[in-house]
Amino acid sequence: MFNTIGVIGLGVMGSNIALNMASKGERVAVYNYTRDLTDRLVQKLDGQSVNPYYELQDFVQSLETPRKIFLMVTAGKPVDSVIHSLIPLLEKGDVIMDGGNSHYNETEQRYDQLKEKGIGYLGIGISGGEVGALKGPSIMPGGDQDVYEKAAPILTKIAAQVGDDPCCVYIGPKGSGHFVKMVHNGIEYADMQLIAEAYTFLRDTLRLPLNEIADIFEEWNQGELKSYLIEITAEILRKKDERTDAPLIDVILDKAGQKGTGKWTSMQAIDNGIPSSIITESLFARYLSALKDERVAAEQILSGPETEKKHFDKNLWIDYVRQALYMGKVCAYAQGFAQYKMTSELYGYDLPLKDIALIFRGGCIIRAEFLNIISEAFQEQPDLPNLLIAPYFSEKLKAYQTGLRKVVCEGINAGISFPCLSTALSYYDGYRTGRSNANILQAQRDYFGAHTYERTDMDGFFHTEWS
Ligand code: 6PG
């Protein structure tokens, strides 16, 4: 019996995707460049239809045609290396799918390279980490639709399900699937940073104990902030260090890593004139955190504000923080979906914004209750310029801006670094300002560089001899 699909790359994600496919009735061929990972997966098997191969040729020949091969290898050159090895073994009509966090530009190059050989190529964003890969990720496939249709029966089966809906939908051409995953990760960075800032205010300004903060996050997760990241943060705050039984969070080093997808999101926005300030500030917050030694030294030199112990109406301020966090998230998602919209027009991706929000409801790291509202907003107005002006959110933020303003002002006066909460507020105020201060910039540019400016009262470009 031929295998119905093959998986190459048997790290945790690849192994779990293979097990997921087998659990949904597929006969799965698996192969890894080194046999150790193959053997490790084989040892875990308990009757699943997962069939190991130790020679790439045997792996390929075991697959029914048109062959469907799912790569879960490290982004970059390893993907090119595997494709190079596969090409001589494949026939026209076969399909290679890249489920790693590849850069969408690289995906587009691989798509073109394989298209010439009649081999289909799908760049597939997979979100949900190890558990998601095993139990159901959010899946963002991009490439030719007819190639997608060959893999759709398997991809929709292994995806997370929300109600009867699989969290998998055809995204668009060429690298669009990896582009959508990239911006998903940018939104993820912003979401994580906003949560970290809310935690800091609760702990350092309201001076709440960790267990009470965990209770607060757990309560928030029952309401409109319901999301995977809020849920796991409550668990993280409760976790005890196995050695000392003290809170584990207090001994985790405050130096954040990143593998690049958030950076790519910011770079693409900057390259294309897209204001992605909150996502970018979340990336810079990680970079600043990495300067740990400098920060420890600077702490002895740089003073903050004189802070007196203030009395706060605890419940009132906890709700201000909830409002602030919700508003920050809405602004971050608004920027992320604006980046989808602007790029879709620029690259001709024709991204299905409503459906992207729908497949983010389950499986992925940013899964959240309010993605239903985001999807409805695009359902009602497909050409919505920005989520901030969707009726539901514009009304909600009219009320919640109080919480965000109070928390940002109080926190900044107390010397807390709020890169994302403060940027979210500035983005909101900037986006709703019809007459901004950019006229000063235009005048300055024309003064020193004769770059000309436009006027509000007549058409054309003007230059003034200022001095
Ligand atoms: C996902 C995650 C995943 C990401 C890791 C690490 O959607 O499952 O976004 O793809 O790579 O979480 O990302 P960073 O190291 O860049 O934080």
Side-chain angles (χ1 to χ4, degrees), residues 27-266:
R27 290 189 305 281
V28 187
V30 294
Y31 171 83
N32 195 75
Y33 180 65
T34 56
R35 65 174 300 147
D36 58 332
L37 295 186
T38 312
D39 292 341
R40 188 180 67 181
L41 174 56
V42 167
Q43 281 151 20
K44 283 191 337 188
L45 294 181
D46 179 16
Q48 296 95 327
S49 58
V50 174
N51 305 306
Y53 294 85
Y54 297 92
E55 294 297 332
L56 188 60
Q57 183 162 356
D58 298 343
F59 166 86
V60 171
Q61 287 172 356
S62 79
L63 295 170
E64 70 181 18
T65 55
R67 299 181 184 86
K68 294 179 283 294
I69 296 173
F70 201 94
L71 309 186
M72 282 304 263
V73 299
T74 307
K77 294 213 179 312
V79 176
D80 293 313
S81 168
V82 170
I83 290 173
H84 178 74
S85 306
L86 280 171
I87 285 173
L89 304 174
L90 299 182
E91 299 165 57
K92 286 185 187 304
D94 289 347
V95 178
I96 298 176
M97 296 168 270
D98 173 11
N101 275 336
S102 295
H103 192 287
Y104 66 95
N105 280 336
E106 291 185 359
T107 298
E108 308 237 326
Q109 290 159 16
R110 293 163 186 149
Y111 167 89
D112 291 337
Q113 172 199 11
L114 290 163
K115 183 97 175 170
E116 286 171 15
K117 302 177 187 306
I119 296 170
Y121 191 70
L122 297 176
I124 301 182
I126 299 278
S127 179
E130 300 165 15
V131 173
L134 182 64
K135 298 188 182 308
S138 175
I139 300 179
M140 300 146 248
D144 292 343
Q145 181 137 23
D146 61 326
V147 173
Y148 166 69
E149 296 307 338
K150 291 181 182 176
I154 295 178
L155 295 178
T156 51
K157 257 192 317 191
I158 65 170
Q161 308 288 320
V162 174
D164 296 330
D165 303 329
C167 292
C168 173
V169 70
Y170 174 66
I171 295 293
K174 300 187 82 170
S176 60
H178 275 143
F179 174 78
V180 166
K181 174 56 167 62
M182 178 190 82
V183 178
H184 161 280
N185 278 33
I187 296 171
E188 173 188 300
Y189 279 35
D191 214 336
M192 293 164 69
Q193 178 64 28
L194 287 163
I195 287 171
E197 292 174 19
Y199 155 81
T200 301
F201 189 87
L202 293 170
R203 190 158 192 197
D204 294 357
T205 302
L206 299 191
R207 294 190 303 281
L208 300 178
L210 264 185
N211 64 323
E212 187 170 348
I213 299 173
D215 292 343
I216 291 167
F217 274 100
E218 246 173 39
E219 185 183 334
W220 286 349
N221 198 46
Q222 305 310 311
E224 60 192 2
L225 275 172
K226 182 173 174 51
S227 62
Y228 172 72
L229 286 172
I230 293 279
E231 176 188 346
I232 68 168
T233 301
E235 286 180 43
I236 286 164
L237 297 177
R238 290 198 196 288
K239 192 74 176 174
K240 296 289 189 256
D241 182 345
E242 286 165 3
R243 275 185 338 101
T244 65
D245 203 37
L248 181 58
I249 190 66
D250 287 343
V251 291
I252 291 180
L253 187 62
D254 55 313
K255 280 178 77 171
Q258 53 93 27
K259 292 192 184 70
T261 47
K263 177 183 73 172
W264 297 343
T265 306
S266 294

